Amino acid sequence: MIDINELTISTARSLLTSKEISSKELTKIYIDNAYKSEQLNAYCLITAEQALIQAESADIALRSGETSPMCGIPIAVKDLFCTKGFVTQAASKILEGFIPSYESTVTKKLWDAGSVMLGKLNMDEFAMGSSNETSTYGPVINPWRGPSQTKLTPGGSSGGCSAAVAADLCLGSIGTDTGGSIRQPAAFTGVVGLKPTYGRCSRWGIIAFASSLDQAGTITKTVRDSAIMLNAISGFDSKDSTSSRSKVPNFEQMLTGDIRGKKVGIPKEYRIDDTPDEIDRIWNDGIEKLKDAGAEIVNISLPHTKYALPTYYVLAPAEASSNLARYDGIRYGKRAKIQENEGITELYERSRGEGFGKEVKRRILLGTYVLSAGFYEAYYMRAQTVRSLIKKDFTDAFSDGIDVILTPTTPSSAFPLGEKINVNPIEMYLNDIFTVTANLAGLPGISI
């Protein structure tokens, strides 16, 4: 009998290749789990029929012996990835009923590798949020509970991805990370969240939030699983002008576990006031474990870190206001009912007003403001300058011999649903304080 709680992508791969279980049997287990756990609201669409068809094809490939490491593995996909023939809504009312006629590059790579799509996962609307409470589908509930069974956020925007992996509703999931949207929810649910280097994975077919910051990545149970999935989704894509031509190494083979002599940087700027004792304790425990494994701990400075959050919340909304201008209710998605004697401008306004949620409207307005005449140089151009300085901080640290930097992922543990979103949006934005720097610098990051 298979213990699904102990199952990972790497162990499932072994069971599939040794014929101890078929992909169809494995897929049925996860489909059943997904339906039984609907109260978590992690899935916004379960594609059971498609999953079983893909699983049967995977079993044929497995019998032939010519397979990839992801063949037959049941996974789920954030609702931001366009999936041909299946509703892709970005958790927004304005894309209600939108069914793409094309497949995103990342998901196509997975299906070509023999992976099985269990369904689409809930998220913050257009990936804007840190608690998965801005979704038109309603909030996702963290499978872990707080004191007195308090319902907690699974984080955001990839909250459905993190909850699904933590609750064994899929073996792994694909999400996106614009300012921490993979790593923060992974931290809140106790799983592994990987944001690759910008350009490592194609953005083609992913509904854009902020094009210079968005990056596809993985949420899994283990680091090895992240490496396996990353190999499947990486690589150059001619359809994405920002796609990296760098050779894709075998990430799994690089997991030797040997970090002797590696220099680990500890940035003093990340020791912020009001950080809970438990966060500092976990950080210090991590430092001691790395010391014990033979790493050298080096105190470093990233002086422009304090400007990262305001820089991000100028640049990301600016890019969002531009990217979301295409949703006008005319070409696809929700269209407001046409009123008598109404012009095209009024139709645009009502379609966008009815289709976008509160948080998305807030960011569009903020982004439009910082790009407007008279404010472009004062805000947007200045933020771009600071972004360059933040990137230089990291470049200088790595040039000085630092191999990797260890920081907390979040300034708190998972908080109760409704605690921040209904009080002050600034409180919610502060959840990204440790994660946005990696996106601004285009660097990879992983939450373990």
Side-chain angles (χ1 to χ4, degrees):
M1 184 68 180
I2 292 172
D3 183 357
I4 194 170
N5 298 118
E6 299 298 322
L7 206 57
T8 65
I9 290 173
S10 59
T11 55
R13 178 182 60 183
S14 299
L15 293 172
L16 288 166
T17 53
S18 65
K19 310 295 189 295
E20 291 179 57
I21 193 171
S22 69
S23 177
K24 191 170 183 178
E25 290 169 331
L26 193 60
T27 298
K28 284 181 177 178
I29 291 172
Y30 282 99
I31 290 172
D32 289 344
N33 255 22
Y35 280 121
K36 287 175 185 175
S37 302
E38 286 182 326
Q39 73 278 4
L40 295 178
N41 203 29
Y43 279 89
C44 52
L45 175 68
I46 298 174
T47 55
E49 187 177 339
Q50 171 73 2
L52 292 173
I53 291 170
Q54 288 179 318
E56 287 177 355
S57 297
D59 283 330
I60 293 170
L62 287 161
R63 284 194 291 272
S64 74
E66 297 179 9
T67 62
S68 74
M70 284 297 294
C71 187
I73 302 295
I75 63 167
V77 179
K78 187 176 182 178
D79 194 34
L80 210 63
F81 291 84
C82 288
T83 44
K84 186 176 181 179
F86 295 97
V87 172
T88 301
Q89 206 168 317
S92 178
K93 192 182 290 184
I94 205 162
L95 275 175
E96 203 167 61
F98 172 59
I99 299 177
S101 58
Y102 53 90
E103 191 79 33
S104 80
T105 297
V106 164
T107 51
K108 186 177 187 303
K109 282 176 174 286
L110 287 165
W111 314 148
D112 288 348
S115 301
V116 174
M117 182 175 81
L118 295 168
K120 307 297 287 289
L121 295 168
N122 200 350
M123 55 178 280
D124 279 304
E125 183 182 7
F126 280 102
M128 298 181 195
S130 301
S131 64
N132 219 136
E133 294 176 277
T134 68
S135 170
T136 192
Y137 309 122
V140 178
I141 299 170
N142 195 321
W144 298 97
R145 290 288 187 272
S148 304
Q149 294 298 300
T150 303
K151 291 181 180 179
L152 305 175
T153 173
S157 63
S158 306
C161 297
S162 67
V165 173
D168 295 309
L169 312 185
C170 59
L171 267 171
S173 65
I174 297 295
T176 59
D177 192 309
T178 306
S181 287
I182 284 175
R183 290 161 289 154
Q184 184 250 22
F188 276 7
T189 54
V191 290
V192 177
L194 171 66
K195 171 219 169 300
T197 306
Y198 183 78
R200 174 61 84 185
C201 306
S202 172
R203 290 186 299 107
W204 194 85
I206 300 174
I207 295 172
F209 166 13
S211 302
S212 75
L213 299 164
D214 297 343
Q215 185 55 211
T218 65
I219 293 184
T220 59
K221 285 186 177 180
T222 67
V223 173
R224 183 169 298 278
D225 285 0
S226 293
I228 294 168
M229 286 193 79
L230 182 59
N231 265 113
I233 65 175
S234 295
F236 174 71
D237 180 13
S238 60
K239 291 181 284 189
D240 176 4
S241 62
T242 61
S243 179
S244 172
R245 293 180 180 271
S246 299
K247 183 181 177 181
V248 180
N250 187 319
F251 295 110
E252 188 180 7
Q253 283 185 359
M254 297 167 75
L255 297 177
T256 64
D258 185 4
I259 61 167
R260 287 172 295 179
K262 297 292 184 185
K263 289 186 177 181
V264 179
I266 308 298
K268 65 180 182 180
E269 288 80 9
Y270 282 63
R271 294 199 181 275
I272 60 175
D273 295 336
D274 302 323
T275 299
D277 290 341
E278 63 175 338
I279 304 296
D280 276 333
R281 186 173 64 252
I282 292 168
W283 192 7
N284 291 328
D285 285 347
I287 291 170
E288 291 305 315
K289 286 176 181 176
L290 292 171
K291 275 184 184 177
D292 292 343
E296 180 185 347
I297 305 301
V298 181
N299 290 318
I300 63 170
S301 176
L302 301 172
H304 295 93
T305 295
K306 61 183 177 180
Y307 304 117
L309 208 58
T311 298
Y312 174 84
Y313 278 102
V314 168
L315 297 178
E319 294 186 27
S321 71
S322 177
N323 280 325
L324 271 61
R326 70 194 71 176
Y327 305 109
D328 53 19
I330 302 299
R331 287 161 286 190
Y332 48 80
K334 179 180 172 60
R335 180 187 297 180
K337 288 184 179 179
I338 299 173
Q339 304 292 323
E340 191 175 350
N341 300 320
E342 185 173 64
I344 190 70
T345 301
E346 289 78 16
L347 181 60
Y348 283 161
E349 289 172 349
R350 285 198 304 104
S351 295
R352 289 167 66 81
E354 294 173 15
F356 288 134
K358 186 177 180 180
E359 181 60 32
V360 173
K361 290 176 186 175
R362 179 185 290 119
R363 298 200 194 192
I364 289 173
L365 287 169
L366 179 60
T368 304
Y369 178 80
V370 301
L371 290 175
S372 61
F375 298 102
Y376 181 82
E377 289 188 5
Y379 291 104
Y380 184 74
M381 289 305 296
R382 185 172 293 182
Q384 289 284 30
T385 300
V386 177
R387 180 180 188 172
S388 298
L389 295 172
I390 291 168
K391 184 176 181 179
K392 185 177 183 298
D393 286 347
F394 286 103
T395 301
D396 290 346
F398 294 130
S399 297
D400 288 341
I402 297 298
D403 294 293
V404 67
I405 295 170
L406 182 71
T407 74
T409 303
T410 61
S412 72
S413 56
F415 49 85
L417 288 167
E419 182 179 87
K420 296 184 186 294
I421 197 167
N422 298 324
V423 181
N424 184 350
I426 302 300
E427 283 287 315
M428 190 71 80
Y429 297 166
L430 289 172
N431 272 279
D432 302 330
I433 195 165
F434 294 136
T435 53
V436 295
T437 49
N439 300 82
L440 290 168
L443 293 170
I446 187 168
S447 177
I448 302 174

